[in-house]
Amino acid sequence: MRIEIDSVSRVFGGHAAVDGVSLTVGSGEFVVLLGPSGCGKTTLLRLIAGLEEPDGGAIRLDGRPVAGQGPFVGPGERNIGIVFQSYALWPHMTVAGNVGFALKVRGLPRAEREARIARALAQVGLQDHGRRFPFQLSGGQRQRVAVARCLAMSPPIILLDEPLANLDPNLRGAVLREFRQMHRELRSTFVYVTHDQAEAFALADRIAIMDAGRVIQFAPPREIFEEPRTAGVARFVGSGALLPAELLARTSEGRMLVRVLGHQAVVRCAGDMPTGSGMLCLKRRDVALHRTWEPGLIEARVADLRYQGGGEIAVLALPDGQEIEVELGRAEPAPAMGARVGLSARDGWVIPGAVAARASEAA
Amino acid sequence: MRRAGAELWIGLAAAALVAALSLLPLLRLAVEAVDPELVRKTLSSPAVWRALGRSLETSLGGSVIALLLGAGFALAVGLTNLPARRMLALAVMLPLLIPSQIIVLAWIELFGPATRLLSLLGLGVEAGTTNPLYSAQGIMLLLGVEQAPIVFLAVRAALLATPRDLVEAARCAGAGGGRILGQIVLPLTLPALGAGFGLAFVACLGNFGIAALLGIPARYATLPVLIFQRLSGFGTSILAEAAVMAVALALVAGLGVLGVTWISRRRDSAVIGSASGADPLRFDLGRWAMPLGALLLAAALLMTAIPMAALAATSVTRAYGLALSSATFTLDHYARALAVPQTARALWNSLWMSGLSALLLAALAIPCAVAGLWARRRPVRRLFGLLGFVAELPYALPGVILGIAAILLYLRPLPVVNVTLYGTAGLIVIAYLARFMPLALRPVQVALLQVDRVLDEAAQAAGARYRHRLVSVAAPLVLPSAMAGALVVFLTAFNELTVSALLWSRGNETVGIVIYFLEEGGDTPGAAAVSMICVAFVFALAALATWLLPAPARRVLPWGR
């Protein structure tokens, strides 16, 4: 089922928790809402669920208006399944009672209800736990019950609000894999809220990065990582350096000659990137280390050295105080602590939002 | 091992103190009542069985009424959009601050000749007929009114503790308001309903003021009243029989206490998820909100505020039975009541006895709580856990049990010092200390449990000795809660009647006793005047303290949440 969010806002006491967000989630897509706490991602999820009513804008499910146009459609009539961060299992009902509650509300006959409860519990590997009460289960089992309760209705839209936040860290990897498999099998539309990048990149078809109630980039994980639209996204998703650069000339489609800290390099950029001044994003694998500095290279000092993941990592301090990490080749002897070295850029990405921001500042 | 010395010494002193105050009287009572011949003799009396039956009957009736009133108001305040919900909640909780003997007086006035309330309702009581409150039904009604706040608070707390997610999950499953109420919210408040009912039942069993003031004129004696009548009539010669009756009452009440404990344990283990601190549902009553709100507020005011107004009117009306007007207004009853040396003495006695008890208990609660909760050795913590349960008993069980136990223990001169406490103010203070210890200890324990133990360990690492840590780390952190606990002790003890009724002697009257005897002696306006003085004093003190106490400690007060 397709979800269309059309300039939706939600205001709490004068503060816009969600501020004019527009987003279209395709049918069967897995979208992750990612951002720091307080960025509005959970409120956006609750707006989709119908647990909040928007103060402006409209929401449509498969073209049918559910909020903002015509009568408000409550959460019970939206055909959604939801997994809460706390799991929200009803403590006075058995596992089977929890899983079958929505089926009972909809008046399904007993036999069909039991079949669907059994199937949902089997899907999460809890076949034999139907008669237990939530307080008799472990944290991981409770999380599975919450997922089974959501699956029992086979909803076309599944909403998950930080479902791994209360889970033992060593269970998370396995659960992420199960979510991917579930998505492949069900072909339902998934909207998943998290503040954890690793979860987002592992799951999403597309990630919506949110900050201060707005979506600042909505793109597939690879694009978010390699072509961040703003400095904020770049800082949020990856360890790299953001350096002011002069954008000298376009060299070919999507490439540009830039000068950064006295060094000239050809890097990637957006197709319509104008020349002028801008911001360059350099990640670890974009730079090459030279044992000595010479003019034309970026000057850097070795600030720290550590061994990690089968190789030596040098942390280099740039003249403006920022740091960038470089992986040393296996055979290379490590440079001395404090040594002056040079850096050249093999690649990089010109942040498109930075120029826009400067242009608006100038205006 | 000098450090362990102080810890051991203070711990032992705290344990000995709790045992001496709470455990010793109850053991003495049990020893007295264990004689099979005596038990057979006491239980062969039909009057005892009749009184026990009446106690059960009125307590069950009273707690059912309390359940209906308390739960009804809690659901209305918690789950609807009625107007003036805060005011409604305060009106329901009003009986917490007014002792039962004064509420009874107020209700008698409400149905009395001067208010004409019943005439308005077409139930007019002709002059000379008996007030309908002097009956088993009257006792049940007033017990219900008196205990309604207990159920109200329990259900209100359960509603506020219901995680919002649980209701939202049901909404997402397509459940409507009625189904959410019936299948999610009410089942989750069921343990609170059970606990509230049990607490109200045990409190009704121990009630003396209502049962005596309404039951004695109707010749309808519950067990606490029968014990009181026998002791006043025959003196300490029937003390042994009274002990057996008290133990019988304790056994019934003990079942109630066990029931409440069991329900509370179950509830604690079942709740998953964090409390939202907000009400889980808000039913829109639409155009019914205003009329229904007015009706409920009127009902809540009828429980306490309107009867109190009737009592106030009686206290300033020239002659009993006249309607209040500018012609009949007088302050003579106040002047007359205060001119009686016994009344003035009783006010002073209640003031210093409850004040001393409150201060002593607050001071003792801190080392007792620290010795128990911060003990390093597991057996010590276990011992204090057990003592904590024992300390609850004199308060949880009917007051008459502690009264009889205290008489038995202190009737004869104390060994070694050769001082007799029976018949002195000292005995009343000791009984107050035992009875109200949980009111002081509980808030301090709760506050201490919220303090991270590492604060103490950091002071320990810095080289501070146990006594120093107790004074400079633990005490300042829990002091506001200890003060709030002391206030609750003072307000409760100031108007105490049940224990004082058994332990008072000439010169050692309390205000509760004076009001009771003024009313029993037929001086209703005098009783009304003294009652109004007490109520005004208690309300002023409660308001001042609520205003002065810091916010977290205010939560200790029942009306502070």
Side-chain angles (χ1 to χ4, degrees), chain A residues 203-226:
Chain A
L203 291 170
D205 293 327
R206 281 195 291 170
I207 298 174
I209 304 261
M210 290 191 68
D211 189 36
R214 294 164 183 274
V215 171
I216 46 180
Q217 188 165 6
F218 184 36
R222 178 183 295 277
E223 196 178 318
I224 296 267
F225 189 76
E226 292 186 351

Side-chain angles (χ1 to χ4, degrees), chain A residues 46 76 86 89-92 105-106, chain B residues 165-166 168 171 173 183 187 270:
Chain A
R46 292 169 59 82
S86 67
L89 301 181
W90 299 301
H92 58 294
V105 169
R106 286 176 172 71
Chain B
D165 288 355
L166 295 183
E168 289 184 340
R171 284 176 64 198
Q183 296 186 10

Side-chain angles (χ1 to χ4, degrees), chain A residues 99 103 114-127 144-145 147-153:
Chain A
V99 174
L103 308 171
E114 275 170 6
R116 287 174 76 160
I117 292 169
R119 197 175 62 205
L121 284 177
Q123 266 174 302
V124 298
L126 289 177
Q127 298 84 322
R144 284 159 186 277
V145 175
V147 171
R149 184 172 70 180
C150 166
L151 296 180
M153 284 297 301

Side-chain angles (χ1 to χ4, degrees), chain A:
Chain A
M1 191 178 268
R2 195 174 73 253
I3 305 169
E4 288 166 82
I5 297 164
D6 188 358
S7 45
V8 160
S9 295
R10 179 77 177 101
V11 181
F12 293 121
H15 163 78
V18 171
D19 189 2
V21 167
S22 293
L23 205 68
T24 298
V25 180
S27 186
E29 198 177 6
F30 199 131
V31 165
V32 172
L33 306 179
L34 175 67
S37 65
C39 70
K41 54 193 191 298
T42 293
T43 308
L44 186 58
L45 190 85
R46 292 169 59 82
L47 284 160
I48 298 172
L51 293 169
E52 302 279 350
E53 225 174 310
D55 294 306
I59 300 174
R60 287 178 295 276
L61 301 180
D62 263 355
R64 174 175 81 128
V66 292
Q69 292 168 304
F72 179 76
V73 179
E77 286 88 55
R78 289 195 183 187
N79 250 335
I80 47 142
I82 184 163
V83 176
F84 289 87
Q85 182 173 354
S86 67
Y87 312 144
L89 301 181
W90 299 301
H92 58 294
M93 294 184 198
T94 60
V95 166
N98 268 280
V99 174
F101 183 80
L103 308 171
K104 209 168 170 181
V105 169
R106 286 176 172 71
L108 264 68
R110 190 189 177 85
E112 187 181 350
R113 235 163 49 212
E114 275 170 6
R116 287 174 76 160
I117 292 169
R119 197 175 62 205
L121 284 177
Q123 266 174 302
V124 298
L126 289 177
Q127 298 84 322
D128 307 324
H129 293 64
R131 283 156 173 266
R132 298 211 191 162
F133 282 91
F135 71 90
Q136 296 169 312
L137 303 178
S138 70
Q141 288 172 326
R142 286 178 198 169
Q143 196 254 9
R144 284 159 186 277
V145 175
V147 171
R149 184 172 70 180
C150 166
L151 296 180
M153 284 297 301
S154 325
I157 296 176
I158 291 178
L159 307 175
L160 304 112
D161 184 8
E162 306 242 9
L164 305 189
N166 291 325
L167 218 52
D168 202 334
N170 59 34
L171 285 175
R172 289 186 189 167
V175 177
L176 283 177
R177 190 172 167 178
E178 284 165 17
F179 279 148
R180 277 196 299 271
Q181 189 176 350
M182 215 186 304
H183 178 243
R184 275 195 296 272
E185 286 168 7
L186 297 172
R187 299 311 306 167
S188 298
T189 309
F190 277 57
V191 180
Y192 183 109
V193 162
T194 182
H195 64 272
D196 184 304
Q197 287 178 48
E199 279 175 39
F201 283 102
L203 291 170
D205 293 327
R206 281 195 291 170
I207 298 174
I209 304 261
M210 290 191 68
D211 189 36
R214 294 164 183 274
V215 171
I216 46 180
Q217 188 165 6
F218 184 36
R222 178 183 295 277
E223 196 178 318
I224 296 267
F225 189 76
E226 292 186 351
E227 299 175 3
R229 183 176 298 162
T230 67
V233 175
R235 274 194 210 99
F236 187 70
V237 297
S239 58
L242 286 170
L243 302 166
E246 283 172 75
L247 314 181
L248 300 172
R250 300 268 288 276
T251 53
S252 60
E253 184 55 34
R255 296 194 81 79
M256 184 175 252
L257 179 68
V258 300
R259 178 157 54 222
V260 54
L261 297 171
H263 169 71
Q264 284 194 10
V266 174
V267 297
R268 288 170 293 119
C269 68
D272 55 353
M273 199 68 209
T275 55
S277 63
M279 190 69 87
L280 182 69
C281 173
L282 282 181
K283 295 204 192 277
R284 182 192 289 186
R285 60 177 182 210
D286 293 337
V287 294
L289 180 70
H290 304 257
R291 318 238 81 201
T292 53
W293 177 79
E294 52 198 69
L297 293 178
I298 301 171
E299 186 185 352
R301 271 180 198 284
V302 180
D304 192 19
L305 289 163
R306 69 168 192 269
Y307 185 78
Q308 178 189 320
E312 195 92 22
I313 306 255
V315 180
L316 306 175
L318 301 176
D320 67 345
Q322 290 195 67
E323 291 186 338
I324 187 165
E325 293 187 351
V326 181
E327 204 168 320
L328 304 176
R330 199 165 295 192
E332 276 180 274
M337 276 291 296
R340 187 162 79 157
V341 295
L343 283 177
S344 60
R346 291 189 288 226
D347 199 357
W349 166 252
V350 179
I351 308 260
V355 173
R358 285 193 183 193
S360 65
E361 265 169 43

Side-chain angles (χ1 to χ4, degrees), chain B residues 346-409:
Chain B
L347 278 168
W348 168 242
N349 281 341
S350 281
L351 204 61
W352 79 257
M353 285 178 189
S354 43
L356 182 65
S357 308
L359 286 181
L360 280 176
L361 281 177
L364 293 173
I366 297 176
C368 283
V370 172
L373 293 173
W374 280 6
R376 269 178 302 181
R377 293 195 189 79
R378 219 175 128 87
V380 179
R381 286 199 300 270
R382 275 213 192 132
L383 172 72
F384 272 90
L386 198 67
L387 281 174
F389 176 73
V390 171
E392 290 276 337
L393 288 178
Y395 182 71
L397 295 176
V400 66
I401 293 162
L402 179 71
I404 298 290
I407 297 176
L408 282 168
L409 190 60

